[in-house]
């Protein structure tokens, strides 16, 4: 059995990645421009333009035949332009910009229902604390139980916001007509100043990203001693601090495009030497480092669409070739590599949003003259694991220095293979949920077996 498992894994490793046009929603050279991806109810929802319906709500189950119009809210060729797709209260919520505008809810039983008409200036939607928060008329507002409530405060917010430890964090100013945005917090009762980050001018907090790994809200802000750099907050004044001045002095690194994969928080930033490249942070200054200079030298690779799939980060970046290329990263320099040329030799491409769904990546892109910007599906090799009893076994750290620890696995045995399938060690013992591998640096395949016969296969990296 172990040999079969290994062959399945190695077969996936050497199999080629592939990208295919899922559906030409707007046939011919005109674009459908899929956007606003959101997973809901076992499908991937998005908006797209079709000559018969305009821009409306669509969904896919990952097949061409299962990629369909969900609802034509503005009947006929006019568009409703659904935006700001959200998962809330076991339904899909979105705002429309044309036709009968407002906030809608959708489920497969009731269809689309207008729950809050108008909402013309509503933006920057955030689901938190059992509500949908948003900015409207420069004020913090929320939707709950069918009602829109504007929070009674003179503070004007700049739009972007995040949530941590029961608080809504946003940039705001107490004075109309000035550009002096600092960090504010809403605690469920009032909106109050959390911290003055820049006493001389605006700090303009933005790019809020909540990390569940560290229970921390990361964001970008400008101080009087640094440019726009990486900050974090736990919702308290003392816990609102600059993580690192990535671009030394008063220049800005402009961190953005955050994405968490496991215990790593990836983002893009410019340190002034390497251009805008891929970084990773654990919330500390020493743990905030450049992952890889994808476009070597001062030229930027501009990583975008950071997306998690199978425990890795996938993103689009320019390595100087002029081609559209997909990259992957495990958070290490050696583990960050180009994994797919979307269309070799083609440089007249357009790339939109990307999202993971059901083990594949879905990308809005223009990759040919014959079609406009349409929905593509990227399939990547995945690890096949034979697990008769469906028992979850966690291995950490990975990459490791040679010592591994297990969750859900006290005693058992293991076989170790290199990536070519050669057996390195057979019937090794795992005792007290750990083992030490005395092997050279490199990539390996670890096949573990518990006392009750549960078999797991994992790719591990020894550094």
């Amino acid at each position: 059995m172990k040999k079969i498992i290994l062959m399945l894994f190695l077969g996936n490793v050497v199999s080629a990645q592939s990208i295919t046009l899922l559906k030409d929603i707007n046939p011919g050279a005109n674009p459908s421009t899929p956007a606003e991806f959101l997973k809901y109810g076992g499908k991937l929802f998005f908006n797209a333009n079709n000559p018969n319906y305009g821009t409306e709500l669509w969904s896919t189950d990952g097949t061409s035949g299962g990629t369909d119009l969900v609802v034509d809210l503005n009947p006929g060729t006019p568009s409703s332009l659904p935006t700001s797709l959200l998962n809330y209260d076991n339904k899909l919520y979105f705002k429309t910009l044309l036709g009968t505008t407002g906030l809608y809810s959708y489920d497969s039983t009731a269809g689309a229902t207008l729950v809050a008409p108008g909402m013309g200036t509503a933006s920057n939607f955030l689901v938190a604390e059992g509500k949908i928060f948003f900015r409207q008329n420069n004020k913090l507002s929320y939707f709950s139980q069918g009602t829109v409530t504007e929070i009674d405060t003179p503070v004007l917010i700049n739009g972007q916001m995040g949530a941590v430890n029961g608080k809504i964090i946003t940039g705001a100013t107490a004075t109309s007509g000035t550009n002096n945005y600092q960090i504010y917090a809403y605690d469920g009762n009032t909106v109050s100043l959390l911290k003055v980050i820049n006493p001389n001018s605006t700090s303009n907090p933005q790019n809020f990203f909540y990390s569940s790994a560290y229970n921390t809200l990361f964001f970008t802000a400008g101080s009087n001693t640094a440019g726009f750099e990486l900050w974090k907050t736990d919702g308290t004044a003392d816990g609102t601090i600059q993580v690192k001045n990535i671009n030394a002095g008063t220049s800005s690194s402009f961190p953005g495009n955050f994405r968490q994969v496991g215990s790593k928080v990836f983002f893009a930033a410019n340190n002034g030497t390497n251009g805008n490249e891929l970084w990773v942070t654990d919330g500390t200054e020493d743990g905030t480092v450049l992952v890889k200079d994808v476009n070597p030298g001062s030229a930027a690779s501009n990583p975008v669409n950071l997306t998690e799939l199978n425990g890795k980060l996938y993103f689009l970046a320019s390595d100087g070739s002029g081609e559209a290329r997909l990259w992957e990263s495990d958070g290490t320099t050696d583990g960050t590599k180009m994994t797919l040329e979307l269309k070799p030799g083609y440089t007249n491409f357009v790339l939109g949003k990307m999202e993971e769904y059901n083990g594949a990546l879905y990308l809005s892109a223009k990759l040919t003259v014959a079609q406009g910007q349409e929905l593509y599906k990227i399939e990547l090799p995945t690890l096949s694991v034979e697990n008769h009893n469906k028992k979850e076994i966690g291995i950490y750290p990975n990459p490791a220095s040679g010592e591994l620890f297990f969750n859900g696995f006290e005693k058992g045995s293991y076989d170790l293979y290199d990536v070519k399938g050669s057996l390195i060690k057979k019937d090794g013992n795992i005792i007290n949920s750990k083992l030490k591998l005395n092997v050279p640096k490199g990539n390996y395949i670890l096949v573990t077996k518990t006392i009750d016969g549960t078999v797991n296969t994992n790719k591990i990296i020894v550094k």
Side-chain angles (χ1 to χ4, degrees):
M1 180 62 68
K2 292 178 183 177
K3 184 176 180 181
I4 295 174
I5 297 167
L6 183 60
M7 289 175 65
L8 288 171
F9 174 79
L10 291 176
N12 279 331
V13 168
V14 299
S15 64
Q17 299 90 341
S18 63
I19 179 169
T20 55
L21 176 66
L22 186 62
K23 189 164 188 172
D24 192 2
I25 294 172
N26 195 340
N30 291 322
S32 70
T33 319
E36 303 280 341
F37 292 125
L38 183 78
K39 290 177 283 189
Y40 166 76
K43 291 185 178 182
L44 183 66
F45 286 75
F46 56 97
N47 69 26
N49 180 270
N50 174 277
N52 297 319
Y53 308 112
T55 301
E56 297 289 352
L57 187 66
W58 287 67
S59 71
T60 184
D61 62 2
T63 67
S64 179
T67 303
D68 296 303
L69 177 73
V70 175
V71 59
D72 188 9
L73 280 177
N74 200 354
T77 57
S79 302
S80 70
L81 283 178
T83 64
S84 303
L85 276 62
L86 305 164
N87 273 307
Y88 173 68
D89 196 25
N90 297 316
K91 293 182 180 180
L92 171 67
Y93 279 73
F94 59 93
K95 175 191 169 183
T96 58
L97 300 178
L98 295 175
T100 304
T101 62
L103 184 67
Y104 284 78
S105 68
Y106 169 83
D107 64 41
S108 58
T109 301
T113 303
L114 180 64
V115 295
M119 306 276 285
T121 63
S123 62
N124 301 99
F125 290 84
L126 170 72
V127 176
E129 303 301 314
K131 301 177 176 68
I132 300 177
F133 287 88
F134 54 94
R135 177 197 189 210
Q136 184 167 245
N137 300 323
N138 296 322
K139 297 286 187 176
L140 182 62
S141 303
Y142 64 82
F143 173 87
S144 178
Q145 298 180 345
T147 302
V148 172
T149 301
E150 182 180 284
I151 298 168
D152 186 17
T153 172
V155 171
L156 306 177
I157 68 171
N158 67 349
Q160 297 190 37
M161 63 188 79
V164 63
N165 292 327
K167 295 181 179 179
I168 306 302
I169 310 297
T170 185
T173 178
T175 307
S176 177
T178 65
N179 183 23
N180 189 27
Y181 291 98
Q182 305 297 333
I183 195 84
Y184 279 72
Y186 172 65
D187 62 5
N189 296 304
T190 60
V191 180
S192 57
L193 179 67
L194 181 62
K195 191 165 189 170
V196 175
I197 291 176
N198 190 343
N200 300 331
S201 183
T202 184
S203 66
N204 200 20
Q206 56 191 283
N207 296 331
F208 293 99
F209 177 81
Y210 176 72
S211 166
S212 59
Y214 303 104
N215 189 32
T216 293
L217 187 67
F218 291 98
F219 63 98
T220 305
S223 71
N224 59 319
T225 58
F228 282 84
E229 295 294 345
L230 181 63
W231 283 68
K232 68 177 181 180
T233 184
D234 61 4
T236 68
D238 289 343
T240 303
I241 59 175
Q242 180 179 280
V243 178
K244 187 169 186 170
N245 190 358
I246 293 171
N247 197 340
T250 56
S251 297
S252 299
S253 69
F254 291 113
N257 294 316
F258 292 93
R259 178 65 66 140
Q260 179 177 300
V261 179
S263 62
K264 297 180 175 67
V265 176
F266 293 89
F267 62 98
N270 186 341
N271 64 2
T273 301
N274 303 103
N276 191 43
E277 296 290 348
L278 185 67
W279 286 68
V280 68
T281 185
D282 62 3
T284 68
E285 183 175 6
D286 290 343
T288 303
V289 296
L290 176 68
V291 178
K292 186 166 187 170
D293 191 5
V294 171
N295 196 346
S298 60
S301 71
N302 294 320
V304 295
N305 286 330
L306 278 62
T307 308
E308 180 187 5
L309 176 61
N310 299 327
K312 286 187 178 181
L313 178 78
Y314 289 88
F315 61 98
L316 301 168
S318 170
D319 57 4
S321 67
E323 294 183 5
R325 292 181 169 182
L326 179 71
W327 289 69
E328 68 174 42
S329 179
D330 61 5
T332 68
T333 301
D334 290 342
T336 303
K337 55 190 177 183
M338 193 273 290
T339 189
L340 179 65
E341 296 177 82
L342 302 187
K343 188 171 184 182
Y346 189 69
T347 58
N348 191 29
F349 56 86
V350 176
L351 302 178
K353 294 296 183 180
M354 183 169 71
E355 183 58 81
E356 178 276 334
Y357 164 67
N358 202 22
L361 296 173
Y362 291 78
L363 174 66
S364 176
K366 176 183 179 294
L367 297 177
T368 176
V369 175
Q371 278 103 22
Q373 188 173 340
E374 296 292 345
L375 184 61
Y376 285 80
K377 181 178 182 179
I378 301 173
E379 295 182 279
L380 300 159
T382 57
L383 173 64
S384 253
V385 178
E386 182 82 12
N387 189 335
H388 298 290
N389 299 324
K390 306 299 180 185
K391 181 178 179 180
E392 294 293 329
I393 296 176
I395 299 178
Y396 65 97
N398 191 11
S401 60
E403 191 170 38
L404 293 172
F405 298 87
F406 297 83
N407 286 325
F409 193 4
E410 176 67 21
K411 294 182 180 180
S413 62
Y414 72 91
D415 292 350
L416 186 68
Y417 300 82
D418 65 20
V419 292
K420 295 180 180 179
S422 299
L423 183 63
I424 305 299
K425 189 168 185 177
K426 182 174 178 60
D427 295 329
N429 291 323
I430 300 170
I431 301 174
N432 296 325
S433 300
K434 69 178 183 179
L435 70 87
K436 190 164 186 177
L437 296 171
N438 295 315
V439 294
K441 296 178 181 180
N443 298 331
Y444 297 88
I445 301 155
L446 181 69
V447 181
T448 57
K449 185 175 182 180
T450 65
I451 294 174
D452 63 9
T454 299
V455 177
N456 277 265
T457 302
N458 293 88
K459 181 181 178 181
I460 61 170
I461 301 172
V462 177
K463 60 181 182 179

